[in-house]
Amino acid sequence: MSKLQIRAFFYQLGCFAILFISVRYLVEMYTGLTGLWVPFTAFVVGTILSPKFKAIKTNDGEKLFMKWIFIKEVKEIG
């Protein structure tokens, strides 16, 4: 794995973790869900809402890109 692939993995993991913890807290406090439904709901929402990062080899070298459902185009990071 290259340095950018590792960076993409950690960015994606960090974004998912922030969303998962936030949604889990909100679901637990403000809905009537109990048991395994709380983390399952947080997992699904976190997976859908978190941005996707990918390292791609281009003619100019390897670059890091991000795709998010709230942004139409793919953005180059760094």
Side-chain angles (χ1 to χ4, degrees):
M1 289 182 78
S2 71
K3 183 179 177 181
L4 283 178
Q5 287 175 330
I6 294 171
R7 184 182 293 175
F9 173 74
F10 282 124
Y11 282 167
Q12 196 157 332
L13 181 66
C15 290
F16 173 78
I18 290 168
L19 284 169
F20 177 80
I21 293 168
S22 301
V23 171
R24 183 177 172 143
Y25 174 76
L26 291 173
V27 167
E28 198 169 343
M29 297 305 265
Y30 298 109
T31 66
L33 296 176
T34 59
L36 285 177
W37 287 107
V38 174
F40 180 72
T41 305
F43 172 77
V44 171
V45 172
T47 301
I48 292 171
L49 293 182
S50 66
K52 311 302 184 246
F53 295 91
K54 188 153 190 161
I56 299 175
K57 292 181 183 175
T58 63
N59 293 337
D60 299 330
E62 196 171 31
K63 293 185 178 184
L64 186 62
F65 293 95
M66 177 189 79
K67 174 89 171 102
W68 199 18
I69 63 171
F70 300 115
I71 302 173
K72 285 192 176 194
E73 70 273 355
V74 176
K75 291 183 75 173
E76 182 180 343
I77 307 293

